[in-house]
Amino acid sequence: MHVTVDVKGEDTYELDLEAVAGAAADADATGGPVADPTPTYADLLREVELSPHEVSVLVDGRPVPEDQPVESDHVTVLRLIKGG
């Protein structure tokens, strides 16, 4: 499944969930099998180089927890902090 990640006011990314799941498995520090290969919203954020601490993830205009499995094909990301 492909997911569109729209970072408001910035870029839009098209991600393949299978590739994201593979990257999440590679990031598993224990070296053991990953219990749930379904990528989370935090995995999507990692792919677009954003931290869950600096953004809110929205699906259909509602915030979703970053540790939940991705169940939507379109995600909106709002930066909470920007600039300098």
Side-chain angles (χ1 to χ4, degrees), residues 1-76:
M1 177 168 107
H2 283 82
V3 177
T4 302
V5 179
D6 179 18
V7 182
K8 282 299 178 190
E10 297 181 29
D11 294 324
T12 300
Y13 302 88
E14 294 289 332
L15 302 176
D16 179 13
L17 278 189
E18 288 182 19
V20 173
D26 291 343
D28 182 23
T30 65
V34 177
D36 185 2
T38 304
T40 64
Y41 293 102
D43 294 328
L44 292 181
L45 293 175
R46 187 174 21 260
E47 286 294 310
V48 299
E49 299 179 359
L50 291 172
S51 166
H53 302 290
E54 64 182 313
V55 300
S56 286
V57 179
L58 306 174
V59 173
D60 295 328
R62 295 188 171 165
V64 293
E66 289 84 14
D67 62 350
Q68 293 297 308
V70 177
E71 297 177 347
S72 177
D73 61 355
H74 188 87
V75 175
T76 301

